Amino acid sequence: MTSQETETSPEQRSLLRRAVGAAAIGNCTEWYDFGVYAYVAVYIGHQFFPGPLETVSAFGVFAISFLFRPLGSLFFGPLGDRIGRQKVLALTILLMSGSTFVIGLLPTYDAIGIFAPMLLLLCRLLQGFSTGGEYGGAATYIAEFAPNRKRGFWGSWLEFGTLAGFGLGALVPTILILTMGTQAMEDGGWRIPFLIAGPLGGVGLYLRSKLEDTPAFKELEANHQVAKSPLKDLVKEWWRQLLILMGIVVLINIANYTILTYMETYLKDTLNVPDGQEYQVLVPLLLTVVFMMVIITPVGALSDRIGRKPLFLSAAICFLVLPIPAFMLISQGTVLTTVCGLGLLAIGHVQLIGPLAATLPAMFPTKVRYAAFCIGYNISTAAFGGTAPLVNDAVVKSTGNTFFPAFYLMAAALVALVPILLMKETARQPLMQDAPSPAKSSTS
């Protein structure tokens, strides 16, 4: 009986908890950065892009950095399938948190002119490159440690880290704004949230350096079955599954970056929140994050009982039906209606991210799992996730249609329905170790 079939011994349970914690803190660091950047985007615009397009330019840099995520996935994904998950995850958190930390030290446009936005872009590109190997690796790591019957529950803790990181990334800047004031934030207070990423990443690096590699990868090594060219095997043999993954991730990422990254700017603009009253935005967003944090692990556990596919289908239907009522509530302009509107969006979103880390890695065998998740996830993220705040902001401001984000979510749900219907159920089943590829099976 393998470690994925049972977790009876105290040593196995302790190792599993440490593995999940070390993986989740990297995701926490990643989303802390996204949350911070979203909340100080106005100050970033002032300091690095003075002019009429300050905020749009700041979000533009955010979007451009996502173009390097596929490059990072092409590098780190196959590397993780060749040398192991643990070594690569230690490297990605070092680069990811380090680049965020350096942003807090950068000179501004007033100090060095055009070189300031160039250095900011360089840091964001490095952050995007390293993130290309982070989430797919962390999800793979947890999936390969978790027992088969509880993979949904343990995998949901990775997204718990996402929500905790974003909540922290929203809370820290807002507390600073309320306590220091707008002028003090302009004078240098905006740097503090980025500097906090240094020690946060240091803790994650320490935890990851103390871990061993996953049982699945060690078994692959022991049997001398490590792929010499994981990328070639993936493209040649598993391209159909890769396309299904990318289609599902379209909805996941448009929802993720619309709700968790763009809504802060959207609420400030549409609700006309005055300076010093930022709590009118912070409170609804944090309550939404807390709501999802409370229910995400039960949702992950639910996927272990009823399956991943029913929850994904339910989520897609929610995003077809609920965005219009949600944005109608938000448009009423009160804290209560905004909380209710965001809550409707959260109902659909948590059904996606709860089972996510248990679902997508299980679509591929061990020898290409890291590369498959990283590459498929990050190509889709670069195209639709990182651009979501920019697309939403540009269309809302150019057309005045404050319901565009609702239509965008509905369109993403319509696209995702097809790959969700095509995906195979993997709940309560062992991970594939070395299986015949769909491409080979169809020609045999």
Side-chain angles (χ1 to χ4, degrees):
M1 184 172 289
T2 69
S3 62
Q4 285 204 312
E5 292 169 344
T6 182
E7 44 162 329
T8 54
S9 74
E11 293 81 5
Q12 287 175 328
R13 289 195 295 271
S14 175
L15 181 59
L16 177 59
R17 285 193 292 267
R18 287 189 285 115
V20 170
I25 196 170
N27 221 35
C28 179
T29 303
E30 175 187 348
W31 276 91
Y32 172 79
D33 169 83
F34 293 154
V36 163
Y37 196 92
Y39 270 72
V40 301
V42 172
Y43 301 104
I44 292 289
H46 292 167
Q47 299 299 326
F48 291 90
F49 306 98
L53 299 175
E54 294 176 347
T55 304
V56 171
S57 297
F59 276 129
V61 169
F62 182 84
I64 291 172
S65 68
F66 277 72
L67 298 178
F68 269 59
R69 289 184 66 148
L71 296 179
S73 69
L74 287 168
F75 176 77
F76 290 114
L79 185 65
D81 282 326
R82 287 199 305 271
I83 70 171
R85 288 64 163 118
Q86 184 269 340
K87 296 182 182 69
V88 175
L89 285 173
L91 179 58
T92 57
I93 197 171
L94 176 64
L95 294 175
M96 192 171 59
S97 58
S99 57
T100 302
F101 176 81
V102 170
I103 291 177
L105 303 175
L106 292 179
T108 64
Y109 189 93
D110 288 342
I112 60 172
I114 191 64
F115 293 104
M118 291 174 64
L119 289 173
L120 174 66
L121 178 60
L122 182 62
C123 288
R124 294 304 306 175
L125 292 179
L126 179 58
Q127 205 275 346
F129 182 80
S130 56
T131 302
E134 169 59 36
Y135 183 74
T140 296
Y141 196 82
I142 292 179
E144 291 182 350
F145 259 111
N148 296 325
R149 293 184 177 276
K150 294 185 178 180
R151 190 174 296 119
F153 169 75
W154 288 108
S156 66
W157 286 100
L158 185 62
E159 290 298 333
F160 185 92
T162 293
L163 298 171
F166 177 80
L168 186 63
L171 186 62
V172 170
T174 303
I175 290 175
L176 291 173
I177 292 168
L178 294 176
T179 56
M180 297 177 65
T182 302
Q183 189 57 50
M185 287 295 292
E186 292 280 5
D187 292 340
W190 63 270
R191 299 180 183 274
I192 297 174
F194 291 105
L195 296 176
I196 291 174
L200 186 62
V203 172
L205 179 62
Y206 173 80
L207 292 175
R208 288 183 174 183
S209 66
K210 299 296 181 181
L211 289 176
E212 58 186 60
D213 226 314
T214 67
F217 184 79
K218 289 193 290 186
E219 181 181 345
L220 207 66
E221 281 187 314
N223 295 331
H224 305 289
Q225 293 177 333
V226 175
K228 294 181 179 179
S229 181
L231 181 58
K232 180 180 177 181
D233 291 346
L234 173 62
V235 174
K236 183 179 179 180
E237 301 178 8
W238 294 90
W239 60 271
R240 290 189 181 91
Q241 291 297 97
L242 190 64
L243 291 177
I244 290 173
L245 182 150
M246 292 169 65
I248 295 170
V249 172
V250 169
L251 174 57
I252 292 170
N253 274 296
I254 288 178
N256 233 0
Y257 290 92
T258 296
I259 298 170
L260 297 184
T261 302
Y262 173 64
M263 287 308 296
E264 183 269 341
T265 298
Y266 177 87
L267 293 175
K268 278 186 177 180
D269 291 344
T270 58
L271 301 182
N272 298 314
V273 177
D275 290 341
Q277 302 294 314
E278 286 83 0
Y279 70 89
Q280 296 183 31
V281 171
L282 174 67
V283 169
L285 284 172
L286 283 183
L287 286 176
T288 303
V289 169
V290 170
F291 168 66
M292 288 193 287
M293 289 175 71
V294 169
I295 67 172
I296 192 167
T297 52
V299 169
L302 179 63
S303 78
D304 288 324
R305 293 195 295 272
I306 69 171
R308 327 294 190 207
K309 196 168 182 175
L311 282 176
F312 273 28
L313 283 172
S314 175
I317 293 170
C318 284
F319 276 118
L320 283 171
V321 175
L322 297 180
I324 294 296
F327 279 85
M328 289 178 66
L329 285 168
I330 291 170
S331 67
Q332 300 303 306
T334 69
V335 172
L336 178 60
T337 57
T338 301
V339 169
C340 292
L342 291 174
L344 288 180
L345 298 178
I347 289 171
H349 191 48
V350 78
Q351 294 179 77
L352 288 173
I353 63 175
L356 176 61
T359 306
L360 302 188
M363 295 169 64
F364 303 91
T366 304
K367 65 177 183 179
V368 298
R369 185 173 294 127
Y370 199 144
F373 196 133
C374 282
I375 292 169
Y377 185 88
N378 284 290
I379 289 176
S380 190
T381 299
F384 299 101
T387 58
L390 183 63
V391 169
N392 280 314
D393 194 55
V395 174
V396 169
K397 287 182 176 178
S398 62
T399 66
N401 185 350
T402 58
F403 277 67
F404 174 78
F407 301 137
Y408 200 30
L409 289 168
M410 293 166 68
L414 196 60
V415 170
L417 270 176
V418 176
I420 290 173
L421 290 170
L422 291 174
M423 67 178 279
K424 294 181 178 179
E425 182 58 71
T426 59
R428 301 177 302 279
Q429 298 177 16
L431 291 176
M432 286 186 283
Q433 297 297 329
D434 187 16
S437 72
K440 287 183 177 179
S441 299
S442 63
T443 58
S444 59

